[in-house]
Amino acid sequence: MRCEEPRKELTDLEAEQLNDKERFRNVNIRYTDSAEILIRIEAPEMLRYIESNKLKEEFTKGFVAYFYDKSGAVANKLASNYALRIHAEGKTYMRDSVVFTSLNGEVLKTTELIWQENNGKLYTDKFVRIIRKDEILQGYGFETDQNFRQGIIKAIDAIIPADKLFNESESNGQ
C-alpha cells in the first residue's frame, strides 16, 4: 500500500491568483561555483512570476540566505520577512525586519536592504544599526560587499567604549 498526501484542490479564486505564477513551498536554492556552495537560500514559500521578460521571484513569507566561506562552512546569515528578486535588474529587494548576522556575532538590523548581485554589493538609504560585542553603530545609509567584510555608514551615530576611541599613549598625554 502506497501512502500519499491528499492533493489539495484550489478554489477558483486561488487559481486566478496564481495565473502567470508558479508557487513553490519549502524552497531550498543553492548557488555554487565549481561544485563549491557559495550561498544557500531557504524560504517557506516562493512565487515565481513567469510573465514574458519580467521574471521575478517573490518571497512573501520571508527567506534566509546562508553565505559560505572557502572551507564550506557557513560564514554569514541574512534574513528578512519579505524579499523580491527581479532577474532583469539583477537585484533582490529585502524589506521588513532585515537582519544580518556574522559568524563573529556582529548583527546588522534595518528595514530595507538591496542586494545587487552583479557586483556583490548590498546597500540601503534607510536607518541601520550594527551591534557588536561592546559597541553599537547606527545611522542612515549603508553599503557593503556581499561578504560584509567592509562597510560604510553614511550618516553615523555610535556608542563606542573610550578605550577603543583613544589609544593608551594619547590618554597618558604622550
Side-chain angles (χ1 to χ4, degrees):
M1 188 163 142
R2 212 165 96 190
C3 185
E4 290 183 13
E5 274 189 43
R7 185 175 174 170
K8 181 186 171 202
E9 294 294 324
L10 297 176
T11 66
D12 289 341
L13 180 60
E14 289 172 322
E16 178 66 30
Q17 289 173 340
L18 288 174
N19 193 26
D20 292 332
K21 296 176 200 158
E22 298 172 320
R23 181 172 55 192
F24 300 90
R25 293 202 172 131
N26 301 318
V27 176
N28 192 329
I29 302 169
R30 295 171 192 254
Y31 296 93
T32 61
D33 183 17
S34 303
E36 290 185 22
I37 187 165
L38 303 175
I39 303 168
R40 180 172 50 94
I41 295 175
E42 294 179 353
E45 182 177 274
M46 180 182 81
L47 295 176
R48 179 178 290 151
Y49 295 80
I50 50 179
E51 301 168 29
S52 62
N53 297 330
K54 294 181 184 179
L55 183 62
K56 58 186 176 179
E57 296 160 347
E58 184 176 27
F59 299 87
T60 58
K61 296 180 181 177
F63 85 116
V64 179
Y66 299 93
F67 295 83
Y68 290 80
D69 63 19
K70 293 182 191 247
S71 71
V74 173
N76 302 314
K77 177 179 153 185
L78 177 63
S80 70
N81 289 337
Y82 174 85
L84 178 65
R85 181 176 185 224
I86 301 176
H87 287 256
E89 295 179 9
K91 292 182 182 178
T92 300
Y93 300 86
M94 294 160 275
R95 292 194 311 258
D96 191 8
S97 300
V98 181
V99 178
F100 167 80
T101 309
S102 71
L103 188 61
N104 60 4
E106 295 175 328
V107 177
L108 175 134
K109 296 181 178 185
T110 187
T111 58
E112 180 181 86
L113 194 61
I114 301 167
W115 180 5
Q116 195 166 336
E117 298 170 27
N118 61 350
N119 64 8
K121 297 285 182 196
L122 289 110
Y123 60 91
T124 186
D125 290 331
K126 307 292 184 195
F127 179 79
V128 296
R129 175 174 283 149
I130 298 173
I131 303 162
R132 294 182 175 157
K133 181 179 170 184
D134 56 358
E135 61 190 26
I136 298 172
L137 308 169
Q138 56 191 27
Y140 289 88
F142 177 74
E143 183 178 314
T144 187
D145 61 285
Q146 70 184 20
N147 296 315
F148 286 82
R149 289 205 175 97
Q150 291 186 341
I152 298 168
I153 298 176
K154 296 177 183 172
I156 192 167
D157 177 21
I159 300 171
I160 301 172
D163 62 340
K164 284 194 167 191
L165 284 175
F166 307 103
N167 65 33
E168 232 176 87
S169 64
E170 288 176 343
S171 62
N172 292 333
Q174 297 176 1

